[in-house]
Amino acid sequence: MRKWICAIVALITITANAEVKLPQFFSDNMVLQQQSECNIWGKADANKMVMIMTTWDNKTYKVKADGKGDFEVKVKTPKAGGPYEICVTESSAVILHNVMIGEVWICSGQSNMEMLMKGYKAQPVEGAAEELLACHDDGLRLFYGKRRASLEPQQDLAGTWQPANAASVREFSATAYFFGKALRRVLGVPVGLICTAFGGSACEAWMKADWLKAFPKVKQTITEEDVKKLQQRCPTALYNGQLKPLIGYGIRGAIWYQGEDNVPRYDYYAPLMARMIQGWREDWKLGNFPFYYCQIAPWGYDETDWALYNSAFLREQQEKVESMVPNCRMAVLMDTGIKDVIHPRKKRQAGERLAILALSNTYDIKGLPDFAKYKEVTFQNDTAVVSFDRSKEWVYFEHVNSLTTTDAEGKTVSRNFELAGSDRVFHPATKVWASRNHVYVICDKVKQPVAVRYAFKDFVVGDLMHDGLPVSSFRTDDWPPTMNAVNKATGDYNNPK
């Protein structure tokens, strides 16, 4: 199969005086999306004919470069398999070796997506050493894009495709790796992961200027000085520098882990993120491709410069996105946070929960667990009765011995539930118990409750579970938020009094 490619290359390179150039993500070891029409593009001599030959079907595609030398062609891919070769020729040739056909996912966000398997300084990834001993897998391919903030849209993203091994996985996103590993294990096909992330990045940075016009609080006119000063927090800068080069690459979907930087601007995060997803889909022209994302984990925001904000309101905004955007689901991480560290060690849980969503909803794998979601509350005298949807059988409390106590009747008392009456003052619940898809909450200080909250603080260790997965923090009220710092002395972030 390779003989005809070698013969063509030998003939062409005798008189070659120019060079076909491809973006760096079209290279050896790459993965193309199976059973689709994948775009391949690059640079050649202006107005010259370019040929693309693929060894999986022995087809030759011809396309004429435009006056600037830009060319693009769609190639049809078969069912998952490989390795294959692709030859791109004009007056010179580029041969891409060891190409696999499989499932391709974009992995983006800020530092918790960017966090490498080797961890950050004094912030390790749990189980990294053991994973590096067992991570060799030629069917899992990794592309880690280099950081770049830019005022102008870029055409290339620096990086290389590498098969998964100890060296490549160590320098790759831990969350994305665990996601891809789970897909490989269940689907049994090659998986390609393209990670384009930037620590500390704002959601606004991953959006085009036109999409941001609907958000007057966002800076609308961006200059080169803004990019230099704000970098990853500058609106449009990462869309231009790290996402635009990839748009058009054949993918199945995207995973996203971001939100921490937007905590101080939580009030419009849901429509902002929804518009970002819509924009990505519009640009990729693949319809409503799957988009799965991590809810930010609890952390002690109240002990930082962000002390005026309760990050539970950002988590609430993230949850709203599910109902605003089709084919979009959230992985809950309420049980993974660390009070003093914004980068949770439990990246396996993040990646595998994203994989559960993808396997269940995109690949239709049966029997996997699902995240229960707060549905409604009713009040029966002094008791709040909270119900959940997507609940197959029951909700329950995890780690009862370490996180909760029990009353004289053996009912679980969770430290994460609060009740308020008409005075809007919240008090910790004194009795909480679960029965199938309902949770019953009582507080001795609130005889006529009108609102209930669960884990609605900066840092908590979530203990409400369903089907082995945590339930998101939630509130049943829609009262305006109270600044954390108002009553910081008492540690009560809900009550101003």
Side-chain angles (χ1 to χ4, degrees), residues 188-265:
V189 301
V191 171
L193 304 176
I194 300 174
C195 184
T196 178
F198 200 136
S201 60
C203 183
E204 298 90 330
W206 297 97
M207 301 173 65
K208 288 170 72 170
D210 285 349
W211 309 344
L212 291 169
K213 290 180 180 178
F215 304 95
K217 292 182 179 180
V218 179
K219 184 177 177 62
Q220 299 293 316
T221 303
I222 306 301
T223 66
E224 190 68 52
E225 188 62 29
D226 292 325
V227 176
K228 290 179 180 178
K229 180 180 179 180
L230 300 174
Q231 285 289 299
Q232 73 273 30
R233 293 181 173 88
C234 181
T236 76
L238 299 186
Y239 174 90
N240 292 330
Q242 291 186 222
L243 193 73
K244 180 61 171 67
L246 295 166
I247 289 175
Y249 193 98
I251 61 172
R252 175 66 69 188
I255 59 173
W256 173 257
Y257 193 161
Q258 191 275 340
E260 294 90 347
D261 186 76
N262 284 80
V263 166
R265 306 180 302 284

Side-chain angles (χ1 to χ4, degrees), residues 108-301:
S108 189
Q110 61 180 113
S111 56
N112 273 306
M113 179 62 80
E114 186 182 42
M115 188 175 184
L116 307 177
M117 183 66 78
K118 68 181 181 181
Y120 295 134
K121 185 177 181 181
Q123 298 176 65
V125 170
E126 186 176 273
E130 295 82 357
E131 195 60 43
L132 292 173
L133 290 171
C135 66
H136 182 86
D137 181 1
D138 188 60
L140 179 58
R141 305 292 178 84
L142 314 173
F143 182 93
Y144 199 85
K146 187 177 180 180
R147 291 175 166 187
R148 184 170 188 178
S150 174
L151 179 65
E152 299 298 328
Q154 299 300 304
Q155 301 302 313
D156 200 359
L157 180 64
T160 57
W161 280 100
Q162 299 183 67
N165 54 49
S168 62
V169 171
R170 179 178 174 81
E171 302 293 332
F172 191 74
S173 161
T175 294
Y177 165 77
F178 284 118
F179 170 80
K181 178 185 176 181
L183 296 192
R184 281 280 295 145
R185 184 168 60 243
V186 176
L187 301 177
V189 301
V191 171
L193 304 176
I194 300 174
C195 184
T196 178
F198 200 136
S201 60
C203 183
E204 298 90 330
W206 297 97
M207 301 173 65
K208 288 170 72 170
D210 285 349
W211 309 344
L212 291 169
K213 290 180 180 178
F215 304 95
K217 292 182 179 180
V218 179
K219 184 177 177 62
Q220 299 293 316
T221 303
I222 306 301
T223 66
E224 190 68 52
E225 188 62 29
D226 292 325
V227 176
K228 290 179 180 178
K229 180 180 179 180
L230 300 174
Q231 285 289 299
Q232 73 273 30
R233 293 181 173 88
C234 181
T236 76
L238 299 186
Y239 174 90
N240 292 330
Q242 291 186 222
L243 193 73
K244 180 61 171 67
L246 295 166
I247 289 175
Y249 193 98
I251 61 172
R252 175 66 69 188
I255 59 173
W256 173 257
Y257 193 161
Q258 191 275 340
E260 294 90 347
D261 186 76
N262 284 80
V263 166
R265 306 180 302 284
Y266 71 88
D267 54 314
Y268 58 94
Y269 187 81
L272 185 75
M273 181 176 167
R275 186 63 185 93
M276 185 198 78
I277 298 169
Q278 178 189 348
W280 286 23
R281 288 172 171 173
E282 290 169 352
D283 280 9
W284 242 285
K285 297 180 174 61
L286 293 174
N288 290 337
F289 62 74
F291 194 100
Y292 304 118
Y293 62 100
C294 286
Q295 186 181 51
I296 62 171
W299 175 58
Y301 290 83

Side-chain angles (χ1 to χ4, degrees), residues 137 243 281 283 311 333 337 344 346 360 366 378 416 445:
D137 181 1
L243 193 73
R281 288 172 171 173
D283 280 9
S311 59
L333 301 179
K346 297 181 182 296
S360 297
K366 306 298 184 184
T378 59
N416 290 329
K445 294 183 179 180

Side-chain angles (χ1 to χ4, degrees), residues 355-371:
I356 286 171
L357 294 174
L359 291 167
S360 297
N361 296 280
T362 299
Y363 299 106
D364 199 29
I365 302 298
K366 306 298 184 184
L368 295 175
D370 198 4
F371 292 94

Side-chain angles (χ1 to χ4, degrees), residues 4 19 106 162 215 224 265 338 390-391 418 431 441:
W4 58 272
E19 183 180 359
I106 294 289
Q162 299 183 67
F215 304 95
E224 190 68 52
R265 306 180 302 284
I338 304 175
R390 299 193 187 127
S391 182
E418 298 173 295
K431 293 181 182 179
V441 187

